Amino acid sequence: MLDLSFLRKNFDHVQERLQVRGAAASLGRFQEVDQQRRAAVTEIENLKARRNALSAEVAKAKRAGEDADEPMQKSREIGRQIKNLEDNVKALDEALAEILHGVPNLPHESVPVGSEADNEETRRAGKQRDFDFKPQAHWDLAPELGILDFEQAAKITGARFAVYWNAGAKLERALMNFMLDVHTREHGYTEVLPPFVVNSASLFGTGQLPKFAEDLFKLENTDYWLVPTAEVPLTNLLGDNTIDINRLPIKLTAFTPCFRSEAGSYGRDVRGIIRQHQFQKVELVKFVLPENSYDELESLTRDAEDILDRLDLPYRTVVLATGDLGFSSAKTYDIEVWLPGMNEFKEISSCSNFESFQSRRAKIRYRDPAVKKGKSQLVHTLNGSGLAIGRTWVAIIENHQQKDGTVVIPQALRPYLDAERILPGGNLE
RNA sequence: GGAGAGGUGGCUGAGUGGUCGAAAGCAGCGGUUUGCUAAACCGUCGUAGGGGCAAUAACCUCUACCGAGGGUUCGAAUCCCUCCCUCUCCGCCA
């Protein structure tokens, strides 16, 4: 959410910045509604001031044992006027909120202008292997190895779910532990295990609601939703809070499953486990001082890339162009891992700086006693996948597959599996 | 699931219809004093929105906020209704 007074004072500038991300229309009738609302609010407040004065008169008269019919009569009349106006303001409030909640964040000036085609590669690392055989896609190789099964998942649940067997399940668990260990022991994140179910207020705080409800799973007859990402519980963990400046930056990491309805993506990534209704992820979230947030975005992205480096997985990092940015983000790096079986780079992490877009919604502030009389200010929030475990699983299977149909486990992961290789039949060796 | 007790500022906690944005204490901030640590004393101390005003400074002023939302009333922290949350006991359960 953008700052209301900033928006008022810099309307043309905001309009311009929204234009470059293809959201110029999102402001709608903002100015008109805002003006009407302010006029009505001022009128109500004036009436309330008069009513309060009259109430004081009533109180005074009654204490003195005098008659108070006249001010009571006047006050009652004003009360009626206020009631009428309040209905009007309520409607205008709702209209304004609807507009404001639907306006995406403004792109940072360093973000390339354009569409997805204008995303710019900022880094490339790891060596893409030369295969002396045709590498298989994971949706062929993994079921062949007996570590991944779609038919039984379809039976017990439905499409876009998978069952992991044997070494497949262990690999997923090993990746979870490996990622959490690296981030907590070496990158300075604090591990959290949050609820996998959140309420509407939390989803509003991070920006999924009200606009993207159709992407989520909601539990029937409740205000509960399955988390689409740990970003939601982690970011809202500090919601409605004023943080002491000495505690910043706060860096959190969590493992959670993530649930997404994938409405509107029916034709895409239908094979394999690239796009599932449930996948596991280790998430990184930071709360930082505004002046540091872009440095923090760089280091957060490095923290995510480090996992790929350690797993000998080739990748490239791209900065998303304005038109490809997510709703809440001011700047995003996508990390894309190389998948030789699928023969393409595939997003495995998305690292974003939301500036104050989320903290304004979720009310996450900090106080600096040295500045502005210690008035509280909004923190900047960031997050990124560190990493999506399912896609990392795919990357390991596809990149480290051997001609004989086995998969070599990367060195860094061996202590977690106590094995070097996945054999046909889904066993470890 | 059943019974009961509660939710008030950064914290503790008073307040059952008007003079309450809210006592008191603690913490914080500014100062005075004592040779240090520490203490004592004085002062100050919520948030948000609008207007004065051109200003994201100061000041003045109005409005709102005592878990959330409705209602009663000239007037609500206080009375009524609904919901949420916390605690205690019982039941059930991993």
Side-chain angles (χ1 to χ4, degrees), chain A residues 214-233:
Chain A
E214 71 278 6
D215 296 334
L216 307 167
F217 284 111
K218 187 171 191 190
L219 300 182
E220 209 170 3
N221 300 322
T222 68
D223 185 41
Y224 293 156
W225 310 69
L226 300 181
V227 292
T229 159
E231 160 194 358
V232 180

Side-chain angles (χ1 to χ4, degrees), chain A residues 20 34 41 48 56 59 63 73 90 92 113 141 147 156 164 204 217 223 230 233 250 279 292 326 341 368 401 408:
Chain A
V20 302
D34 182 48
V41 165
K48 282 187 173 171
R63 263 197 309 279
Q73 193 56 45
K90 201 171 174 185
L92 289 166
V113 173
L141 179 55
I147 59 175
I156 59 175
Y164 296 70
F204 174 79
F217 284 111
D223 185 41
I250 293 174
F279 63 97
N292 299 336
D368 181 356
Q401 62 181 294
V408 170

